């Protein structure tokens, strides 16, 4: 009996040691902790995505308030908004590559810090140049770092159906933010100040960054950051996409083919009214630069170096069609959420609150419309 009891105790002890060596106990704790970390990460990323989409939309209904507060013109404020879109578009690929090299969570945290500083500068800035630096440059650069890392983190943290639900929630949060932003932004601008929206964005983003650093778990290693970064590729991609965005922004003012008014740069008239519009020239230059960018990336791949982006992914028809669909789904609602508030405030004389209330119909129509 004693030997059997001793053997039983020894077996239990050996089994415990075996489980400890095999990581059974640690695995159980990791299994319990992993969902909590994933849930925390999900909430933080969805919150950050909501803030990004809110700040990029809410100010459209406060244009007249911003013009009066800063003592500037509507053209100046529109230029700030346009430059913000330009910076995001020009730096998005570079931001994605930095996340792949240095870790998505680290890149997201750095981007969030830059975004929060930009929102604070915008909220406290007394003149339009402060808004230009804070909103257009700093917040634009922050978003270019945050968005690719955000999508990648969600993709890595979930699998199967859970991943599909997480990415769907990401799109839903962006839609909700774009729908809520005009009304909330109008209320805040009318009863408080348009600056409060940027202060709230600062506080929420800093809270997300701090919680991300504390709760989101260790940073997984992904690529070799010791390899030389493709600086020329980053410059070419930014220039190419930047020229395309500028051409798109100028189309409404100068026309697609024939110039509707003199095109001036720093007071010098480059194209006169009736001549060719700057839009096709800038768009053509952008396409040429992107062609050079593609050639440079192929050159790096042939030499065994690390390119900014591997163009082979574009040969996948699903990726190409999906990307084009996403672009159209983004451009059409975003263009309406920008142009309609401008019309309401400049032509109809609406204030921020009335403009925001009027825009409620747009997200409702997009939500209940046919799919």
């Amino acid at each position: 009996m004693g030997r059997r009891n001793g053997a039983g105790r020894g077996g239990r002890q050996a089994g415990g040691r075996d489980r400890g060596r095999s990581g059974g106990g640690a695995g159980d704790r990791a299994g319990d902790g992993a969902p909590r970390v994933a849930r925390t990460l999900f909430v933080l990323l969805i919150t950050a995505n909501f803030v990004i989409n809110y700040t990029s939309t809410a100010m459209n209904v406060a244009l007249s308030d911003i013009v009066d507060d800063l003592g500037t013109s509507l053209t100046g404020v529109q230029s700030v908004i346009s430059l913000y879109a330009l910076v995001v578009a020009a730096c998005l690929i570079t931001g994605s590559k930095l996340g792949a090299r240095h870790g998505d969570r680290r890149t997201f945290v750095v981007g969030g810090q830059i975004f929060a500083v930009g929102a604070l500068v915008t909220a406290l800035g007394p003149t339009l140049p402060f808004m230009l630096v804070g909103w257009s440059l700093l917040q634009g650069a922050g978003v270019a770092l945050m968005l690719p890392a955000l999508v990648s983190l969600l993709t890595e943290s979930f699998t199967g159906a859970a991943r599909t639900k997480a990415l769907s929630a990401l799109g839903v949060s962006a839609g909700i933010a774009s729908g809520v932003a005009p009304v909330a932004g109008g209320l805040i601008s009318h009863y408080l100040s348009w600056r409060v929206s940027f202060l709230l964005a600062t506080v929420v983003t800093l809270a997300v960054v701090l919680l991300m650093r504390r709760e989101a778990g260790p940073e997984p290693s992904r690529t070799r950051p010791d390899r030389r970064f493709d600086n020329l590729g980053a410059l070419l991609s930014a220039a190419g996409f930047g020229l395309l965005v500028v051409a798109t922004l100028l189309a409404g003012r100068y026309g697609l083919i024939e110039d509707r008014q003199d095109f001036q740069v720093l007071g010098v008239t480059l194209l006169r009214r009736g001549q060719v519009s700057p839009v096709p020239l800038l768009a053509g230059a952008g396409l040429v630069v992107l062609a050079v960018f593609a050639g440079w990336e192929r050159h790096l791949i042939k030499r065994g170096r690390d390119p900014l982006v591997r163009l082979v992914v574009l040969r996948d028809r699903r990726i190409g069609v999906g990307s084009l669909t996403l672009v159209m789904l983004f451009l059409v609602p975003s263009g309406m959420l920008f142009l309609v508030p401008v019309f309401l405030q400049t032509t109809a004389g609406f204030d921020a609150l009335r403009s925001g209330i009027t825009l409620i119909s747009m997200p409702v129509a997009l939500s209940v419309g046919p799919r």
Side-chain angles (χ1 to χ4, degrees), residues 246-263:
V246 170
T248 303
L249 296 174
L250 295 180
R253 182 175 181 181
Y254 293 98
L256 292 177
I257 305 299
E258 184 177 341
D259 199 354
R260 297 174 182 172
Q261 60 184 32
D262 292 348
F263 177 63

Side-chain angles (χ1 to χ4, degrees), residues 6-238:
R9 287 194 298 269
R12 286 192 295 270
Q13 291 171 358
R17 286 194 297 269
D18 290 341
R19 285 192 297 269
R21 283 195 296 268
S22 65
D28 291 341
R29 289 191 297 271
D32 293 336
R36 184 188 66 81
V37 172
R39 287 194 297 268
T40 301
L41 184 65
F42 172 78
V43 172
L44 294 177
L45 295 177
I46 292 298
T47 302
N49 187 56
F50 185 92
V51 172
I52 290 172
N53 286 275
Y54 172 84
T55 54
S56 63
T57 307
M59 291 303 101
N60 292 339
V61 301
L63 294 177
S64 56
D65 291 345
I66 297 175
V67 169
D68 295 338
D69 192 3
L70 299 181
T72 183
S73 63
L74 180 62
T75 302
V77 178
Q78 288 177 318
S79 299
V80 169
I81 298 175
S82 300
L83 184 58
Y84 166 82
L86 173 62
V87 171
V88 173
C91 300
L92 206 56
I93 293 180
T94 302
S96 178
K97 186 63 176 182
L98 290 173
R101 287 172 63 89
H102 301 287
D104 290 314
R105 185 161 62 87
R106 183 180 304 171
T107 303
F108 178 87
V109 167
V110 172
Q113 293 170 340
I114 296 173
F115 181 88
V117 171
L120 184 61
V121 170
T122 305
L124 302 180
T127 58
L128 188 66
F130 283 88
M131 195 175 200
L132 179 68
V133 173
W135 193 358
S136 302
L137 301 182
L138 292 178
Q139 286 191 248
V143 169
L145 292 174
M146 294 170 70
L147 279 182
L150 189 152
V151 175
S152 183
L153 284 169
L154 284 179
T155 302
E156 292 177 350
S157 301
F158 298 92
T159 58
R163 176 185 294 174
T164 302
K165 292 179 180 179
L167 295 176
S168 299
L170 186 67
V172 170
S173 68
I176 293 175
S178 299
V180 170
V183 181
L187 288 170
I188 292 174
S189 299
H190 182 79
Y191 291 106
L192 298 174
S193 170
W194 60 271
R195 299 175 185 270
V196 174
S197 290
F198 288 101
L199 289 175
L200 292 174
T202 302
V203 173
V204 174
T205 304
L206 287 178
V208 168
V209 167
L210 291 175
L211 291 173
M212 177 76 74
R213 297 182 65 175
R214 190 179 70 178
E215 299 287 346
E219 178 75 81
S221 59
R222 295 184 56 192
T223 58
R224 294 173 51 190
D226 56 321
R227 303 183 69 178
R228 183 181 301 177
F229 186 75
D230 183 12
N231 293 306
L232 180 58
L235 179 63
L236 289 173
S237 67

Side-chain angles (χ1 to χ4, degrees), residues 290-347:
L290 290 179
V292 174
F293 167 67
W296 172 251
E297 298 302 286
R298 293 193 184 95
H299 170 72
L300 292 183
I301 294 174
K302 289 180 180 179
R303 296 188 60 182
R305 293 175 57 184
D306 188 25
L308 188 69
V309 59
R310 296 189 179 275
L311 302 176
V312 67
V313 299
L314 299 179
R315 297 177 183 175
D316 191 325
R317 181 176 298 179
R318 293 171 299 177
I319 295 178
V321 174
S323 300
L324 181 60
T325 303
L326 287 175
V327 168
M328 295 305 299
L329 288 174
F330 174 79
L331 285 179
V332 174
S334 298
M336 293 179 65
L337 287 172
F338 176 74
L339 295 176
V340 173
V342 171
F343 170 80
L344 292 176
Q345 293 171 82
T346 58
T347 303

